[in-house]
Amino acid sequence: MADFTGFSLWGPRFYAELEHHNTREFWAANKDRWEREVRDPMRALVAALEPEFGPATIFRPHRDVRFSPDKSPYKTHQGAIAGSAPGLGYYVGLDADGLIVGGGFRTHSPAQTDRFRRAVDSDAGAELAGIVAALVAAGFSVEGAALKTHPRGYPADHPRVELLRRKELMAVTNVGTPPWLATPAALDEVRRRWRQLRPLATWAVSRVGPD
């Protein structure tokens, strides 16, 4: 595989157009360039990061529209995850706004959410609260599906009720399109942010675990 040399700024422009022209005809007209300037660089990026962060998976560009009222055929981003199990670990993506970097866990089952909440309710929850606070201070935002109120079985005045409300937990930063995005330095920038996310990813792997 070729070395990672950066993401061209054509990628974000392509996804901005795809948001308005999400058709097979538009995709077919741009597929070859998408492979060269989005897919192949993403493959090279995660391949370079795998020795430190674990096996990586590149998301397919096609949407699963079987059970969705939105029948647009293509995803408007290219994402990849790395880690020890599906949904646990590290994320990197490219969309119309540029580069996105994140980590944590996306839930694949109610059992994972239950293990997460039990851990938040334990002494491990204080550790997680500290990890999340440090990431927010470093510029990450906290994302993930959440309840509007406290979950059943936990008090409304729990000291970590905001974490308990969550079904999943991701820390994400939208990096945008800085000048280094189109250069090999993007690899170092993603690596640096994933290292910042390592405490969260490690906590999620040990406390939530795979589906």
Side-chain angles (χ1 to χ4, degrees):
M1 179 179 292
D3 291 340
F4 175 76
T5 58
F7 289 108
S8 80
L9 297 184
W10 177 84
R13 292 197 299 271
F14 165 74
Y15 282 117
E17 292 185 49
L18 185 63
E19 290 178 357
H20 299 286
H21 306 286
N22 199 321
T23 65
R24 290 175 175 82
E25 293 76 16
F26 179 80
W27 182 268
N30 291 277
K31 180 181 177 182
D32 289 347
R33 191 169 182 182
W34 170 81
E35 290 176 347
R36 294 193 309 271
E37 300 191 32
V38 176
R39 184 199 65 183
D40 292 349
M42 184 65 76
R43 287 178 173 175
L45 174 70
V46 296
L49 293 166
E50 275 188 353
E52 182 173 350
F53 298 97
T57 300
I58 305 291
F59 298 157
R60 295 179 60 189
H62 303 85
R63 296 182 62 249
D64 184 352
V65 300
R66 290 173 298 173
F67 308 108
S68 173
D70 179 4
K71 300 302 181 182
S72 54
Y74 302 103
K75 298 173 183 174
T76 55
H77 65 279
Q78 176 60 61
I81 56 172
S84 60
L88 290 161
Y90 308 89
Y91 173 81
V92 61
L94 190 74
D95 66 9
D97 294 324
L99 189 70
I100 307 161
V101 182
F105 88 100
R106 293 287 189 193
T107 187
H108 284 246
S109 72
Q112 284 183 306
T113 297
D114 182 60
R115 290 195 295 269
F116 168 71
R117 288 176 175 154
R118 284 190 279 111
V120 170
D121 189 40
S122 72
D123 291 342
E127 177 189 3
L128 177 63
I131 291 170
V132 170
L135 288 170
V136 170
F140 291 87
S141 61
V142 178
E143 298 183 2
L147 300 174
K148 294 182 179 180
T149 184
H150 63 284
R152 185 179 302 172
Y154 297 93
D157 61 351
H158 193 286
R160 293 182 290 278
V161 69
E162 291 303 313
L163 288 173
L164 285 171
R165 288 176 52 241
R166 297 196 171 275
K167 300 178 181 180
E168 56 189 9
L169 180 65
M170 291 286 292
V172 178
T173 182
N174 295 306
V175 180
T177 56
W180 49 256
L181 183 61
T183 76
L187 170 62
D188 296 327
E189 293 292 339
V190 174
R191 180 185 288 115
R192 180 177 68 83
R193 286 167 172 80
W194 277 11
R195 285 174 176 171
Q196 288 178 297
L197 289 157
R198 181 175 281 134
L200 176 58
T202 300
W203 190 97
V205 168
S206 64
R207 302 292 179 175
V208 176
D211 186 9

